[in-house]
Amino acid sequence: MMNADEDRVWKAIPPCCLKAMGPCPDEATRHDTVVSGWFSEVPFILFLCITVADKSFYHNPMWPGEAHSLKVEKILYHGRSDYQEILVFESYGYGKVLALDGIVQLTEKDECAYQEMITHLPLCSIPSPKNVLVIGGGDGGVLREISRHLSVEVIDICEIDQLVIDVCNDFFPNLSVGFKDPRVRLHVGDAVDFMRKSPPNNYDAIIIDSSDPIGPAQELVEKPFFETVAKALRPGGVLCNQAESMWLHTHLIQDMLSTCRVIFKGSVHFAWTSVPTYPSGTIGFLLCSTEGPPVNFLDPVNPIETQGVNKFRRELRFYNSEIHRAAFALPSFLKKELRTTSYNS
């Protein structure tokens, strides 16, 4: 018999993820995220429990039957906002790590792969982007990368959790430096509400740097939200959305692609990159453009190599134009499952 908290979490699971999960074993037990010096992303099927102020917060069910562990050298911060549990620790091999509700969001060693790709795949695909919106991204890494683009005039960011911003400012200054760009306008609040109030045809690019689509973030992968995003983009504007793992979530990727093919009248593509500390070691990106000037995501028309001096004096560690093109090369199994020719145009 599940208690009220357990029942609440099960009801929040997207149907496309429920169908990928097996039954919960009777002998399921609860575990802390840090046990004997190791942080573990334990699957929901084991009812992972993080105890904060005598409350239980359960783990994301996005990868049932798997666990990923990192050796902890020192816990640097552990607290809870109104929205989520926040943990920062020094790891043995990946530097400082940020985890939200028991899920690794970034590490100092491999954050470059995610931050650089989710930013430059869309911004290098259109000429001279000027107005850019970031949904989520409270660590500041996407802002840091947008700041490389000299044509950008305004960078709006809507992040729901002020505590994430504050914690990252304290422990991840190499990411939160993005907030120091004078072009940044911070909006702390709910992204769905923010998008409903956004004027039409306002943004050249929208980057959705969200957590896994469960609970509050579930709305960010549903049709009504994508419709508000499309309306907020100018003709030929682009969206880049975090799109999970091709090894674990083809069902979710299929659903997102199907929805966006209906809403966005330009191009719709799936791209991917390697991030060692994410489940399966990969993460995907959904790239869409609205009707208007055609966008060829596969070949950067606004190459990062032409952007000039980086004001934050940090060299790119992962992204380049060759990696950009390669990100759209899909394995044979994924082409078959996604029926690539029906949406890559």
Side-chain angles (χ1 to χ4, degrees):
M1 176 73 76
M2 288 188 291
N3 63 33
D5 286 335
E6 293 163 2
D7 184 61
R8 171 181 56 80
V9 173
W10 277 101
K11 288 179 179 178
I13 301 171
C16 60
C17 291
L18 275 174
K19 69 185 181 183
M21 297 175 65
C24 182
D26 292 337
E27 64 273 16
T29 56
R30 298 183 177 188
H31 302 269
D32 292 328
T33 51
V34 180
V35 178
S36 300
W38 287 80
F39 169 91
S40 294
E41 289 186 336
V42 183
F44 177 88
I45 206 166
L46 293 179
F47 286 116
L48 172 69
C49 173
I50 305 164
T51 302
V52 182
D54 297 320
K55 295 182 180 180
S56 297
F57 305 96
Y58 295 100
H59 192 276
N60 192 310
M62 296 294 292
W63 44 95
E66 298 185 20
H68 181 223
S69 298
L70 294 172
K71 187 176 181 181
V72 177
E73 296 292 306
K74 183 180 180 181
I75 294 177
L76 302 174
Y77 177 86
H78 187 199
R80 182 167 178 85
S81 71
D82 292 337
Y83 305 97
Q84 56 204 337
E85 187 244 10
I86 302 171
L87 176 68
V88 179
F89 63 91
E90 185 74 38
S91 70
Y92 176 78
Y94 285 88
K96 284 181 285 189
V97 178
L98 172 68
L100 301 179
D101 282 344
I103 313 294
V104 171
Q105 303 298 308
L106 63 89
T107 80
E108 286 183 307
K109 184 173 184 177
D110 64 8
E111 56 86 6
C112 57
Y114 177 80
Q115 312 282 5
E116 293 177 14
M117 293 294 278
I118 198 173
T119 303
H120 303 308
L121 286 176
L123 294 189
C124 290
S125 295
I126 55 175
S128 302
K130 291 181 172 56
N131 293 344
V132 181
L133 168 64
V134 180
I135 300 295
D139 54 74
V142 171
L143 300 178
R144 180 193 68 196
E145 295 307 315
I146 295 173
S147 72
R148 299 179 188 276
H149 291 262
L150 305 182
S151 65
V152 172
E153 298 172 357
V154 174
I155 310 169
D156 283 325
I157 177 170
C158 182
E159 164 62 51
I160 197 169
D161 198 337
Q162 179 67 51
L163 187 57
V164 169
I165 297 171
D166 295 340
V167 168
C168 289
N169 183 61
D170 290 339
F171 295 101
F172 298 94
N174 288 335
L175 286 96
S176 64
V177 66
F179 282 100
K180 297 181 180 180
D181 191 312
R183 296 171 291 180
V184 171
R185 302 189 304 196
L186 172 61
H187 311 268
V188 177
D190 178 66
V192 174
D193 184 59
F194 180 86
M195 291 307 303
R196 288 195 191 108
K197 298 175 181 177
S198 292
N201 304 318
N202 190 41
Y203 294 107
D204 299 285
I206 296 176
I207 299 171
I208 302 179
D209 178 14
S210 65
S211 55
D212 296 308
I214 180 173
Q218 184 177 343
E219 288 187 88
L220 304 188
V221 296
E222 295 177 343
K223 186 176 180 180
F225 185 73
F226 282 128
E227 288 173 337
T228 62
V229 168
K231 290 176 182 176
L233 287 169
R234 65 163 176 79
V238 296
L239 161 71
C240 187
N241 199 120
Q242 186 268 107
E244 300 300 330
S245 166
M246 64 180 177
W247 294 104
L248 303 175
H249 307 125
T250 52
H251 55 287
L252 178 59
I253 295 166
Q254 287 168 336
D255 290 348
M256 294 174 70
L257 288 170
S258 177
T259 298
C260 288
R261 283 200 296 269
V262 174
I263 296 170
F264 292 88
K265 306 302 182 181
S267 299
V268 178
H269 287 267
F270 179 81
W272 65 284
T273 193
S274 168
V275 183
T277 53
Y278 286 173
S280 84
T282 66
I283 193 71
F285 306 103
L286 179 67
L287 290 118
C288 310
S289 65
T290 57
E291 187 175 16
V295 177
N296 177 14
F297 287 110
L298 278 63
D299 193 21
V301 297
N302 179 30
I304 195 68
E305 291 84 359
T306 67
Q307 292 302 314
V309 177
N310 171 26
K311 68 179 295 182
F312 294 123
R313 298 182 181 179
R314 178 187 177 278
E315 293 184 357
L316 284 162
R317 295 181 56 209
F318 192 89
Y319 176 89
N320 55 49
S321 291
E322 290 76 21
I323 286 287
H324 181 120
R325 299 183 186 96
F328 296 93
L330 305 185
S332 296
F333 82 88
L334 192 62
K335 285 187 177 183
K336 182 178 180 180
E337 293 193 38
L338 299 184
R339 297 174 183 167
T340 309
T341 54
S342 68
Y343 68 88
N344 274 3
S345 58

